[in-house]
Amino acid sequence: MNYFDNKIPADKIKYNEPLRNHTFIRLGGLADILIHPTTNEEVTTVVRTAREHNLPLTILGKGSNTIIRDGGIRGVTISLSNFNEIRVEGNEIVSQSGADIIDVSRRALDYSLTGLEFACGIPGSVGGALYMNAGAYGGQISDVIKSAQVLTREGELLTITGEEMQLGYRKSIFRSDQYIILDAAFQLEAGNKDQIAEKMKELTHARESKQPLEYPSCGSVFKRPVGHFAGKLIQDCELQGTRIGGAEVSMKHAGFIVNVDNATAQDYLDLIEHIQRTVREKFNVELETEVITLGE
């Protein structure tokens, strides 16, 4: 049954779509229905229609820090990857949630605005960055976020402040999945364009020299345990190079698992479990995943 006919343009709807085409890690089963809205009105229509017909609803951004299981996703999946407008208003940047956070940092550079340099190498969307309170090199989203426009699962539009987002280390109010992030407003400061550019150049070099960007991956897999570094623990367990199926613990950075040979989601999940068990047995430290797992 085509629930969205005459509600959403047909070219924005895909049926039985392989989700490996929509994640950085290049794996995942089929989405029953995948919709790429580009306006708030279209997102609202999808949410309300799904609710009306009791269809499961899943939100997917750029798929950068996400593992989608091999069984795929039932019901309706909204991909916000085309929801990517960015505008500058004085010292604020307002971005739709599907825009790359890297592109927002570059727009800040264009306008000589400082505060988002840390995000110049973070893969994924603005929505994902808020969801995770993404951070790198001493900066994090909570430092610069002012507000966000969100949609509730009932289809109600709200604006919430940075304080109301309850942002902490890799956590936010958005992890309860009660809100769909539509856009975000970042409060920045006027700065020196050359200095901003130099800082971004340094951070980009640091990322490229330390991270395994030559392979598909879901980024940093584990949160930083209190008093430890996940990558160091994994390295000290001599797990680098360990492979299950097509998934391998990166030789370049032990905190990353890379897709070296057509890995399945189950390969990834099995390798994650093996790493967690090994670190627990050797160091009595529990590694908590940072990556989000969706589907069945």
Side-chain angles (χ1 to χ4, degrees):
M1 188 172 180
N2 298 334
Y3 301 101
F4 301 95
D5 285 358
N6 304 317
K7 294 183 178 181
I8 301 294
D11 62 347
K12 297 182 180 181
I13 306 174
K14 295 181 178 181
Y15 297 94
N16 297 315
E17 174 69 10
L19 288 165
R20 65 176 177 273
N21 298 334
H22 302 276
T23 62
F24 277 44
I25 203 172
R26 297 291 176 244
L27 52 81
L30 303 180
D32 289 349
I33 306 171
L34 181 67
I35 301 179
H36 284 86
T38 55
T39 67
N40 288 358
E41 292 74 22
E42 288 176 351
V43 179
T44 303
T45 296
V46 175
V47 169
R48 290 177 176 171
T49 302
R51 182 175 174 80
E52 177 186 348
H53 295 285
N54 294 314
L55 297 172
L57 179 65
T58 302
I59 309 301
L60 184 66
K62 294 286 185 182
S64 63
N65 199 224
T66 305
I67 296 173
I68 297 174
R69 293 186 177 95
D70 301 312
I73 298 179
R74 304 288 71 79
V76 185
T77 302
I78 296 177
S79 171
L80 295 171
S81 60
N82 294 337
F83 207 67
N84 53 20
E85 292 184 1
I86 303 169
R87 66 182 187 273
V88 180
E89 300 175 353
N91 285 358
E92 283 185 27
I93 296 184
V94 180
S95 169
Q96 286 186 309
S97 61
D100 287 329
I101 189 67
I102 290 174
D103 288 343
V104 179
S105 73
R106 290 170 179 162
R107 188 68 60 86
L109 170 62
D110 291 341
Y111 284 81
S112 301
L113 295 174
T114 184
L116 266 174
E117 291 90 334
F118 73 90
C120 69
I122 296 176
S125 66
V126 166
L130 263 67
Y131 187 95
M132 301 290 292
N133 188 24
Y137 302 110
Q140 56 187 352
I141 291 297
S142 56
D143 298 335
V144 290
I145 190 66
K146 178 182 179 183
S147 63
Q149 185 175 203
V150 302
L151 187 71
T152 69
R153 293 285 174 149
E154 290 72 41
E156 180 187 5
L157 279 170
L158 299 173
T159 297
I160 59 177
T161 66
E163 291 78 13
E164 291 170 326
M165 295 176 195
Q166 300 174 24
L167 299 173
Y169 176 62
R170 302 299 176 262
K171 66 180 181 180
S172 71
I173 196 172
F174 304 117
R175 299 198 71 131
S176 68
D177 283 339
Q178 60 183 314
Y179 299 124
I180 299 164
I181 304 166
L182 298 177
D183 63 40
F186 299 97
Q187 183 67 56
L188 306 177
E189 297 179 2
N192 179 286
K193 189 171 185 177
D194 290 340
Q195 292 177 356
I196 296 168
E198 183 60 30
K199 182 66 173 178
M200 291 172 68
K201 182 179 177 181
E202 290 174 8
L203 296 182
T204 298
H205 174 73
R207 175 173 178 261
E208 290 176 348
S209 64
K210 295 177 182 177
Q211 297 183 11
L213 304 180
E214 63 273 23
Y215 291 109
S217 82
C218 53
S220 181
V221 176
F222 301 102
K223 295 180 182 179
R224 185 177 64 243
V226 176
H228 300 276
F229 292 97
K232 181 70 163 56
L233 291 170
I234 296 166
Q235 187 175 358
D236 289 347
C237 286
E238 300 181 348
L239 288 171
Q240 284 180 281
T242 300
R243 183 188 294 198
I244 293 179
E248 181 179 286
V249 181
S250 170
M251 294 297 296
K252 194 171 186 179
H253 190 308
F256 286 68
I257 299 175
V258 289
N259 184 352
V260 294
D261 187 17
N262 299 309
T264 65
Q266 196 58 52
D267 292 340
Y268 260 78
L269 297 173
D270 289 346
L271 187 51
I272 287 171
E273 186 178 335
H274 174 66
I275 293 167
Q276 289 173 317
R277 184 172 59 251
T278 304
V279 170
R280 184 187 310 118
E281 291 172 353
K282 182 162 186 175
F283 294 109
N284 195 30
V285 175
E286 294 289 340
L287 288 183
E288 183 181 353
T289 55
E290 178 175 314
V291 66
I292 299 160
T293 302
L294 300 174
E296 60 184 38

